[in-house]
Amino acid sequence: MSQKAEKPVLTGQRIKTRKRDEKERYDPTGFRDVVVQGLNECEGDLEQVSKFLDASGAKLNYRRYADTLFDCLFAGGILAPGGSIVEDGAADKVSRTNVCVFASEDTVEALQLYYEVFFKLIRRYKYLEKSFEEALKKILLFLKGFSETDRTKLAHITALFMANNFVTARPLLSLFEEHLVKEGIAIEFVTIMFRTWLEKRDIAHMNGVLKKAQLEGKLMNFFPVSKRTIEHFEKHFTESGLTALVDYQKFQESVEVKRELLSTVDTMIKDGEPIKEIISYADEHMKRHAIEEHEAVVLVWSRIVNAVEWNKKEELVAEQALKHLKMYTPLLAALTKTARAELALMVKVQDYCYDNMNFMKVFHKIITLFYKADVVSEDVILKWYKDAHSPKGKSVFLEQMKKFVEWLENAEEESDSGEEET
């Protein structure tokens, strides 16, 4: 077999490399020098800063040096681990700028102008969004290395970022670092941040942002371990003029303890625990966490009805439902010792029957069962029928209950007349 002859190569021939195959040397200091020079030339005019950053994006590799870019805009130079600025050895070389957040006036108004710089930059270069969030997360880790004044400025502008939905709350996870929490830096930072945030937006907005980052129930974790009590939480934020945050925390704790009640009762029902044990647990949990009966009974009802896979045939679901609910009437009766709790349960049952079409014709049977088992009383049924029912399917359910209500009213009249005769 003949072999293909190799082509002759001239001695000293230069192999040309495609430009796209050439790797650019990573040079953050070179990038910094260009940015710092440009910022300094703006002489503190933030409108000029935005124009410079806008134009430079076409020439500088923002994607590759995003971390360095944001270091310069926040701190005025490249941040070393710990929060110090990297200085070059040459005395005549400028390696930092005063056109940055840390060199700004310590007022929300002044920092609002810097917020506008970040906003315009990322609106122009959308690919920087993720890098910005990562940069902020890193900078918050370095809080201990910054001066108290710089931390305050950072807290103010972070609040502006959150209040304007410019960034998620995920960077705040950095504040859970042990050294920041232990030394009180984390709680000091978020106190300033929350105050500024709530000056711009309401507590509902703050809750929405925190919830997306799964932080809504973790505010207590900003405190040192020895101070993680509701009493200390209330004292700290009340003295800081943030009573809205105190109310918010109470609400979150209420949500959490109700979630715990739901989860435990759900497990106990599925495991077939004795009804007495479930009653005992629910009663103890309600007392310990000050959960009202009318709140607890609707939670327990939801666990009871969710414990079964209901028959899809309407004519069979009634028998199945009554058999299942009858087992748990002692549990529901233990949680309806007040008229308010009874009424809350009736309205919840009504809503459930409306939302689950196969139960539309079962409502009156369930209420009759509950009446016979002393879960709901005559007075509450009459109250529900008259003016306390839910608007959901009310015409259907009121018609279903009409004969039973008439029977109750007649029985009440007979009882009254019997007493008069006596």
Side-chain angles (χ1 to χ4, degrees), residues 32 36 68 70-89 94-98 100 102-103 138-139 142 145-146 150:
R32 175 208 61 194
V36 165
T68 303
F70 292 125
D71 277 0
C72 292
L73 292 175
F74 275 109
I78 296 176
L79 285 169
S84 61
I85 299 289
V86 175
E87 300 281 0
D88 285 335
V94 179
S95 55
R96 61 192 304 170
T97 177
N98 284 327
C100 63
F102 287 175
K138 180 201 74 175
I139 289 170
F142 296 163
F146 303 146
D150 289 347

mmCIF file of all heavy atoms in Angstrom, residues 32 36 68 70-89 94-98 100 102-103 138-139 142 145-146 150:
data_model
loop_
_atom_site.group_PDB
_atom_site.id
_atom_site.type_symbol
_atom_site.label_atom_id
_atom_site.label_comp_id
_atom_site.label_asym_id
_atom_site.label_seq_id
_atom_site.Cartn_x
_atom_site.Cartn_y
_atom_site.Cartn_z
ATOM 1 N N ARG A 32 -8.372 47.222 36.110
ATOM 2 C CA ARG A 32 -8.620 48.202 37.175
ATOM 3 C C ARG A 32 -8.017 49.559 36.841
ATOM 4 O O ARG A 32 -8.648 50.597 37.051
ATOM 5 C CB ARG A 32 -8.021 47.687 38.483
ATOM 6 C CG ARG A 32 -8.110 48.684 39.643
ATOM 7 C CD ARG A 32 -6.991 48.487 40.631
ATOM 8 N NE ARG A 32 -5.693 48.693 40.006
ATOM 9 C CZ ARG A 32 -4.528 48.334 40.565
ATOM 10 N NH1 ARG A 32 -4.525 47.763 41.753
ATOM 11 N NH2 ARG A 32 -3.389 48.548 39.931
ATOM 12 N N VAL A 36 -10.164 52.844 36.958
ATOM 13 C CA VAL A 36 -9.836 53.864 37.955
ATOM 14 C C VAL A 36 -9.493 55.200 37.289
ATOM 15 O O VAL A 36 -9.955 56.262 37.706
ATOM 16 C CB VAL A 36 -8.671 53.395 38.857
ATOM 17 C CG1 VAL A 36 -8.081 54.559 39.651
ATOM 18 C CG2 VAL A 36 -9.159 52.307 39.812
ATOM 19 N N THR A 68 -13.910 42.703 39.417
ATOM 20 C CA THR A 68 -13.019 43.854 39.582
ATOM 21 C C THR A 68 -13.770 45.165 39.361
ATOM 22 O O THR A 68 -13.582 46.141 40.097
ATOM 23 C CB THR A 68 -11.848 43.755 38.580
ATOM 24 O OG1 THR A 68 -11.166 42.518 38.774
ATOM 25 C CG2 THR A 68 -10.881 44.902 38.751
ATOM 26 N N PHE A 70 -16.965 45.821 39.901
ATOM 27 C CA PHE A 70 -17.816 46.140 41.039
ATOM 28 C C PHE A 70 -17.009 46.459 42.294
ATOM 29 O O PHE A 70 -17.430 47.276 43.117
ATOM 30 C CB PHE A 70 -18.819 45.012 41.288
ATOM 31 C CG PHE A 70 -19.842 44.883 40.192
ATOM 32 C CD1 PHE A 70 -20.035 43.678 39.526
ATOM 33 C CD2 PHE A 70 -20.607 45.973 39.805
ATOM 34 C CE1 PHE A 70 -20.972 43.563 38.510
ATOM 35 C CE2 PHE A 70 -21.544 45.880 38.786
ATOM 36 C CZ PHE A 70 -21.727 44.667 38.138
ATOM 37 N N ASP A 71 -15.830 45.845 42.439
ATOM 38 C CA ASP A 71 -14.936 46.224 43.542
ATOM 39 C C ASP A 71 -14.609 47.707 43.465
ATOM 40 O O ASP A 71 -14.638 48.429 44.470
ATOM 41 C CB ASP A 71 -13.629 45.421 43.477
ATOM 42 C CG ASP A 71 -13.744 44.042 44.112
ATOM 43 O OD1 ASP A 71 -14.834 43.703 44.603
ATOM 44 O OD2 ASP A 71 -12.735 43.308 44.106
ATOM 45 N N CYS A 72 -14.296 48.165 42.259
ATOM 46 C CA CYS A 72 -13.936 49.579 42.056
ATOM 47 C C CYS A 72 -15.106 50.501 42.351
ATOM 48 O O CYS A 72 -14.943 51.553 42.975
ATOM 49 C CB CYS A 72 -13.443 49.794 40.625
ATOM 50 S SG CYS A 72 -11.853 49.003 40.262
ATOM 51 N N LEU A 73 -16.313 50.095 41.920
ATOM 52 C CA LEU A 73 -17.474 50.954 42.115
ATOM 53 C C LEU A 73 -17.923 51.003 43.577
ATOM 54 O O LEU A 73 -18.440 52.022 44.037
ATOM 55 C CB LEU A 73 -18.627 50.498 41.227
ATOM 56 C CG LEU A 73 -18.412 50.684 39.718
ATOM 57 C CD1 LEU A 73 -19.569 50.083 38.928
ATOM 58 C CD2 LEU A 73 -18.256 52.173 39.372
ATOM 59 N N PHE A 74 -17.715 49.922 44.297
ATOM 60 C CA PHE A 74 -18.079 49.904 45.711
ATOM 61 C C PHE A 74 -16.969 50.490 46.590
ATOM 62 O O PHE A 74 -17.216 51.358 47.417
ATOM 63 C CB PHE A 74 -18.375 48.473 46.184
ATOM 64 C CG PHE A 74 -19.774 48.020 45.939
ATOM 65 C CD1 PHE A 74 -20.053 47.062 44.970
ATOM 66 C CD2 PHE A 74 -20.837 48.532 46.670
ATOM 67 C CE1 PHE A 74 -21.349 46.630 44.747
ATOM 68 C CE2 PHE A 74 -22.134 48.106 46.456
ATOM 69 C CZ PHE A 74 -22.401 47.148 45.483
ATOM 70 N N ALA A 75 -15.745 49.966 46.414
ATOM 71 C CA ALA A 75 -14.663 50.285 47.355
ATOM 72 C C ALA A 75 -13.572 51.174 46.787
ATOM 73 O O ALA A 75 -12.709 51.647 47.525
ATOM 74 C CB ALA A 75 -14.053 48.985 47.878
ATOM 75 N N GLY A 76 -13.562 51.371 45.476
ATOM 76 C CA GLY A 76 -12.553 52.242 44.871
ATOM 77 C C GLY A 76 -11.325 51.535 44.360
ATOM 78 O O GLY A 76 -10.401 52.168 43.837
ATOM 79 N N GLY A 77 -11.271 50.230 44.499
ATOM 80 C CA GLY A 77 -10.122 49.452 44.018
ATOM 81 C C GLY A 77 -10.387 47.979 44.174
ATOM 82 O O GLY A 77 -11.488 47.575 44.585
ATOM 83 N N ILE A 78 -9.398 47.150 43.863
ATOM 84 C CA ILE A 78 -9.566 45.704 43.982
ATOM 85 C C ILE A 78 -9.543 45.314 45.461
ATOM 86 O O ILE A 78 -8.634 45.709 46.200
ATOM 87 C CB ILE A 78 -8.453 44.951 43.222
ATOM 88 C CG1 ILE A 78 -8.554 45.234 41.720
ATOM 89 C CG2 ILE A 78 -8.544 43.453 43.488
ATOM 90 C CD1 ILE A 78 -7.450 44.605 40.898
ATOM 91 N N LEU A 79 -10.540 44.559 45.875
ATOM 92 C CA LEU A 79 -10.627 44.112 47.263
ATOM 93 C C LEU A 79 -9.869 42.804 47.456
ATOM 94 O O LEU A 79 -10.090 41.827 46.735
ATOM 95 C CB LEU A 79 -12.088 43.906 47.666
ATOM 96 C CG LEU A 79 -12.911 45.179 47.914
ATOM 97 C CD1 LEU A 79 -14.390 44.827 48.044
ATOM 98 C CD2 LEU A 79 -12.428 45.891 49.168
ATOM 99 N N ALA A 80 -8.957 42.810 48.434
ATOM 100 C CA ALA A 80 -8.269 41.581 48.813
ATOM 101 C C ALA A 80 -9.168 40.817 49.778
ATOM 102 O O ALA A 80 -10.074 41.411 50.391
ATOM 103 C CB ALA A 80 -6.944 41.916 49.479
ATOM 104 N N PRO A 81 -8.983 39.494 49.953
ATOM 105 C CA PRO A 81 -9.769 38.753 50.942
ATOM 106 C C PRO A 81 -9.679 39.431 52.308
ATOM 107 O O PRO A 81 -8.599 39.742 52.781
ATOM 108 C CB PRO A 81 -9.105 37.373 50.949
ATOM 109 C CG PRO A 81 -8.537 37.241 49.568
ATOM 110 C CD PRO A 81 -8.071 38.614 49.205
ATOM 111 N N GLY A 82 -10.828 39.685 52.912
ATOM 112 C CA GLY A 82 -10.835 40.373 54.196
ATOM 113 C C GLY A 82 -11.319 41.797 54.087
ATOM 114 O O GLY A 82 -11.753 42.394 55.072
ATOM 115 N N GLY A 83 -11.235 42.391 52.875
ATOM 116 C CA GLY A 83 -11.802 43.714 52.681
ATOM 117 C C GLY A 83 -10.828 44.855 52.497
ATOM 118 O O GLY A 83 -11.256 45.997 52.309
ATOM 119 N N SER A 84 -9.522 44.586 52.525
ATOM 120 C CA SER A 84 -8.557 45.670 52.295
ATOM 121 C C SER A 84 -8.396 45.906 50.794
ATOM 122 O O SER A 84 -8.681 45.027 49.975
ATOM 123 C CB SER A 84 -7.206 45.327 52.911
ATOM 124 O OG SER A 84 -6.679 44.148 52.329
ATOM 125 N N ILE A 85 -7.925 47.122 50.425
ATOM 126 C CA ILE A 85 -7.711 47.462 49.018
ATOM 127 C C ILE A 85 -6.304 47.032 48.602
ATOM 128 O O ILE A 85 -5.328 47.281 49.307
ATOM 129 C CB ILE A 85 -7.862 48.985 48.791
ATOM 130 C CG1 ILE A 85 -9.280 49.441 49.173
ATOM 131 C CG2 ILE A 85 -7.565 49.351 47.342
ATOM 132 C CD1 ILE A 85 -10.358 48.989 48.243
ATOM 133 N N VAL A 86 -6.195 46.388 47.452
ATOM 134 C CA VAL A 86 -4.893 45.975 46.915
ATOM 135 C C VAL A 86 -4.165 47.222 46.396
ATOM 136 O O VAL A 86 -4.663 47.918 45.510
ATOM 137 C CB VAL A 86 -5.064 44.950 45.781
ATOM 138 C CG1 VAL A 86 -3.718 44.627 45.143
ATOM 139 C CG2 VAL A 86 -5.745 43.690 46.297
ATOM 140 N N GLU A 87 -3.008 47.503 46.979
ATOM 141 C CA GLU A 87 -2.204 48.671 46.575
ATOM 142 C C GLU A 87 -1.013 48.192 45.750
ATOM 143 O O GLU A 87 -0.381 47.190 46.088
ATOM 144 C CB GLU A 87 -1.693 49.426 47.806
ATOM 145 C CG GLU A 87 -2.790 49.952 48.727
ATOM 146 C CD GLU A 87 -3.429 51.220 48.202
ATOM 147 O OE1 GLU A 87 -3.037 51.695 47.127
ATOM 148 O OE2 GLU A 87 -4.322 51.755 48.902
ATOM 149 N N ASP A 88 -0.674 48.926 44.685
ATOM 150 C CA ASP A 88 0.518 48.613 43.893
ATOM 151 C C ASP A 88 1.739 49.222 44.555
ATOM 152 O O ASP A 88 1.658 50.253 45.224
ATOM 153 C CB ASP A 88 0.377 49.154 42.464
ATOM 154 C CG ASP A 88 -0.576 48.289 41.654
ATOM 155 O OD1 ASP A 88 -0.724 47.101 42.011
ATOM 156 O OD2 ASP A 88 -1.189 48.800 40.714
ATOM 157 N N GLY A 89 2.890 48.577 44.344
ATOM 158 C CA GLY A 89 4.129 49.037 44.971
ATOM 159 C C GLY A 89 4.598 50.387 44.473
ATOM 160 O O GLY A 89 5.154 51.189 45.223
ATOM 161 N N VAL A 94 -1.551 55.149 40.345
ATOM 162 C CA VAL A 94 -2.841 55.300 41.025
ATOM 163 C C VAL A 94 -3.606 53.985 40.926
ATOM 164 O O VAL A 94 -3.941 53.525 39.841
ATOM 165 C CB VAL A 94 -3.665 56.444 40.385
ATOM 166 C CG1 VAL A 94 -5.009 56.577 41.083
ATOM 167 C CG2 VAL A 94 -2.899 57.756 40.450
ATOM 168 N N SER A 95 -3.890 53.374 42.085
ATOM 169 C CA SER A 95 -4.547 52.067 42.065
ATOM 170 C C SER A 95 -5.928 52.093 42.719
ATOM 171 O O SER A 95 -6.532 51.059 42.932
ATOM 172 C CB SER A 95 -3.677 51.026 42.786
ATOM 173 O OG SER A 95 -3.363 51.462 44.098
ATOM 174 N N ARG A 96 -6.397 53.302 43.047
ATOM 175 C CA ARG A 96 -7.736 53.393 43.632
ATOM 176 C C ARG A 96 -8.369 54.736 43.267
ATOM 177 O O ARG A 96 -7.690 55.652 42.824
ATOM 178 C CB ARG A 96 -7.683 53.214 45.147
ATOM 179 C CG ARG A 96 -6.858 54.231 45.890
ATOM 180 C CD ARG A 96 -6.620 53.802 47.329
ATOM 181 N NE ARG A 96 -7.872 53.542 48.035
ATOM 182 C CZ ARG A 96 -7.928 52.974 49.249
ATOM 183 N NH1 ARG A 96 -6.801 52.586 49.837
ATOM 184 N NH2 ARG A 96 -9.065 52.786 49.842
ATOM 185 N N THR A 97 -9.661 54.817 43.473
ATOM 186 C CA THR A 97 -10.393 56.043 43.139
ATOM 187 C C THR A 97 -11.316 56.419 44.288
ATOM 188 O O THR A 97 -11.747 55.564 45.078
ATOM 189 C CB THR A 97 -11.232 55.848 41.856
ATOM 190 O OG1 THR A 97 -11.973 57.026 41.597
ATOM 191 C CG2 THR A 97 -12.200 54.683 41.997
ATOM 192 N N ASN A 98 -11.625 57.698 44.380
ATOM 193 C CA ASN A 98 -12.576 58.175 45.381
ATOM 194 C C ASN A 98 -13.983 58.304 44.800
ATOM 195 O O ASN A 98 -14.901 58.759 45.477
ATOM 196 C CB ASN A 98 -12.124 59.530 45.937
ATOM 197 C CG ASN A 98 -10.974 59.365 46.915
ATOM 198 O OD1 ASN A 98 -10.887 58.367 47.628
ATOM 199 N ND2 ASN A 98 -10.082 60.342 46.942
ATOM 200 N N CYS A 100 -16.552 56.299 44.335
ATOM 201 C CA CYS A 100 -17.092 54.981 44.696
ATOM 202 C C CYS A 100 -18.050 55.140 45.870
ATOM 203 O O CYS A 100 -18.121 56.203 46.497
ATOM 204 C CB CYS A 100 -15.958 54.021 45.063
ATOM 205 S SG CYS A 100 -15.023 54.539 46.526
ATOM 206 N N PHE A 102 -17.960 53.880 48.902
ATOM 207 C CA PHE A 102 -17.326 54.118 50.199
ATOM 208 C C PHE A 102 -16.815 55.552 50.366
ATOM 209 O O PHE A 102 -16.610 56.002 51.491
ATOM 210 C CB PHE A 102 -16.180 53.130 50.421
ATOM 211 C CG PHE A 102 -16.633 51.720 50.719
ATOM 212 C CD1 PHE A 102 -15.715 50.692 50.841
ATOM 213 C CD2 PHE A 102 -17.979 51.410 50.870
ATOM 214 C CE1 PHE A 102 -16.115 49.392 51.108
ATOM 215 C CE2 PHE A 102 -18.399 50.115 51.140
ATOM 216 C CZ PHE A 102 -17.468 49.098 51.259
ATOM 217 N N ALA A 103 -16.603 56.244 49.268
ATOM 218 C CA ALA A 103 -16.142 57.640 49.345
ATOM 219 C C ALA A 103 -17.299 58.623 49.224
ATOM 220 O O ALA A 103 -17.098 59.840 49.259
ATOM 221 C CB ALA A 103 -15.110 57.909 48.249
ATOM 222 N N LYS A 138 -20.082 38.684 48.006
ATOM 223 C CA LYS A 138 -18.679 38.655 48.442
ATOM 224 C C LYS A 138 -18.350 39.859 49.318
ATOM 225 O O LYS A 138 -17.703 39.731 50.366
ATOM 226 C CB LYS A 138 -17.759 38.643 47.224
ATOM 227 C CG LYS A 138 -16.266 38.610 47.559
ATOM 228 C CD LYS A 138 -15.410 39.089 46.410
ATOM 229 C CE LYS A 138 -15.478 40.593 46.237
ATOM 230 N NZ LYS A 138 -14.542 41.081 45.198
ATOM 231 N N ILE A 139 -18.816 41.028 48.915
ATOM 232 C CA ILE A 139 -18.522 42.257 49.661
ATOM 233 C C ILE A 139 -19.125 42.204 51.059
ATOM 234 O O ILE A 139 -18.504 42.640 52.035
ATOM 235 C CB ILE A 139 -19.009 43.488 48.868
ATOM 236 C CG1 ILE A 139 -18.109 43.697 47.644
ATOM 237 C CG2 ILE A 139 -19.018 44.743 49.732
ATOM 238 C CD1 ILE A 139 -18.614 44.728 46.660
ATOM 239 N N PHE A 142 -17.037 40.551 53.595
ATOM 240 C CA PHE A 142 -15.876 41.321 54.045
ATOM 241 C C PHE A 142 -16.237 42.436 55.016
ATOM 242 O O PHE A 142 -15.397 43.287 55.328
ATOM 243 C CB PHE A 142 -15.160 41.947 52.835
ATOM 244 C CG PHE A 142 -14.569 40.956 51.872
ATOM 245 C CD1 PHE A 142 -14.214 41.353 50.588
ATOM 246 C CD2 PHE A 142 -14.361 39.632 52.221
ATOM 247 C CE1 PHE A 142 -13.662 40.457 49.688
ATOM 248 C CE2 PHE A 142 -13.816 38.721 51.334
ATOM 249 C CZ PHE A 142 -13.465 39.134 50.059
ATOM 250 N N GLY A 145 -13.884 43.834 57.671
ATOM 251 C CA GLY A 145 -12.700 44.566 57.236
ATOM 252 C C GLY A 145 -12.963 46.009 56.862
ATOM 253 O O GLY A 145 -12.022 46.767 56.604
ATOM 254 N N PHE A 146 -14.223 46.422 56.840
ATOM 255 C CA PHE A 146 -14.573 47.792 56.481
ATOM 256 C C PHE A 146 -14.758 48.643 57.738
ATOM 257 O O PHE A 146 -15.060 48.131 58.823
ATOM 258 C CB PHE A 146 -15.865 47.831 55.657
ATOM 259 C CG PHE A 146 -15.829 47.009 54.402
ATOM 260 C CD1 PHE A 146 -16.969 46.372 53.927
ATOM 261 C CD2 PHE A 146 -14.649 46.853 53.676
ATOM 262 C CE1 PHE A 146 -16.952 45.614 52.776
ATOM 263 C CE2 PHE A 146 -14.613 46.095 52.514
ATOM 264 C CZ PHE A 146 -15.766 45.468 52.061
ATOM 265 N N ASP A 150 -18.174 52.896 56.377
ATOM 266 C CA ASP A 150 -18.339 52.183 55.102
ATOM 267 C C ASP A 150 -19.431 51.124 55.195
ATOM 268 O O ASP A 150 -20.196 50.917 54.254
ATOM 269 C CB ASP A 150 -17.015 51.539 54.677
ATOM 270 C CG ASP A 150 -15.993 52.565 54.226
ATOM 271 O OD1 ASP A 150 -16.382 53.725 54.004
ATOM 272 O OD2 ASP A 150 -14.802 52.205 54.105
#
